[in-house]
Amino acid sequence: MEYHAPKGTVDMLSDTAYAWEHLQRVAAEIFAAYGYQPIYTPIFEHTEVFERGIGEATDVVGKEMYTFADKGGRSITLRPEGTASVVRSALEHSLTANGQSAKLYYAGPMFRYERPQKGRMRQFWQIGAEALGMQDPSIDAEVIVMLMAFFEAVGIPRQNMRLLLNSMGEDSCRPKYREKVAGYLRTHADALCGGCVRRADTNPLRAFDCKTPSCKEVMAAAPLLRDELCDECATHYRAVKGHLDGQGILYEEDATLVRGLDYYTRTVFEVQADAGLGSQNAIGGGGRYDGLMEVFGGQPTPGLGFALGFERTLLAMAAAGVEVPGTPAVRVYVARVDASTDPEAFRLVSDLRRARIPAEMDHKGRSLKAQFRQADRLGANLVVVVGPDESAAGEATVRDMSAKTEERVALPRLVAAIAERLRQG
């Protein structure tokens, strides 16, 4: 049998793994400046967390979740997104009790059963942030500004991105609007795909996301929520836009923008990349979800957040010509003339590594000539040669691989001398 990764998954080899770690480091640095702290929730949850939190009528819950029974017969689901898990954790650990607020960020794999395509896998990786217990429009603007700051920090130019913005209202105005859209769908059922016909009874707003040409044509003339917002939601939305305007954040209002999860209220947003991703061009997005904590049995608690996709962000970075930090190069190769100097070579390479100088040595019994070839393949700047003569003199030969020059250096000062040589380039 030929073993390979399951369909819709890929092995994250060194270069990609270093890119993932780089994005996590940038996120941790950027998000910390805004007061966000790390949280890591389990990769799997009780299925009800997602059924109740995301919504049973959503495509994620209805079609895409990896759900199974554990050995105790309990229904368990691999997390398809991060927000429901974070809110469940915040409630369980009383992070927002007694009027407290919490700013949290996370990173890790998510799982959805979808048709694999460019930028969309069945196991995919996300970085996200959640702000809980705050209702002022300024926090809506803050998470959007922070998301844009992250994308710019990893090298995606502002001009390569589009920020879409909308308000989905709340319980005071959205139910009437949902019914209006549902009625509109039923009226135009003959021109809709089967999925959108069903959405009239389950999740009518999702029809705005349908990619079927006939459905897109029908929805272009559908009623818009911005015309139905209550005064409070309209005021909140204007304030969010005002904060973004004050920060010079350019955005496009998209009255058809809906997020595919039932928990969203009021502000929703999406960042799209104009190159490198094709039709699946969303690299991040999110919104407000003021009713989610109550769904889990908690007190009314405002919240909002975002998630960004690692795979799509990487594609957008590549399209912008961004060089992602790759595998750290070996700076020094320690070569031994024969087996008699193996202990000395091992001590030297260990000393270099303790000094945080990336170093390597031979572990395969290669000849000295083959060790030099290996050092060249690894891109080593310097080769330290340890032989019987050098060992007897308490020295080592240091060869500069670019200049093709050599010098003998006393062993007690070897690490310091190499560090200084590397600093000088």
Side-chain angles (χ1 to χ4, degrees), residues 15 109 134 225 317 360 366 377-378:
D15 285 347
M134 293 162 279
L225 181 54
M317 292 168 66
E360 188 56 274
R366 295 181 177 95
R377 283 193 293 270
L378 292 173

Side-chain angles (χ1 to χ4, degrees), residues 210-230:
C210 185
K211 301 299 186 289
T212 304
S214 60
C215 295
K216 292 177 69 173
E217 185 176 346
V218 169
M219 297 311 294
L224 298 177
L225 181 54
R226 68 184 178 195
D227 300 324
E228 310 289 337
L229 291 177
C230 63

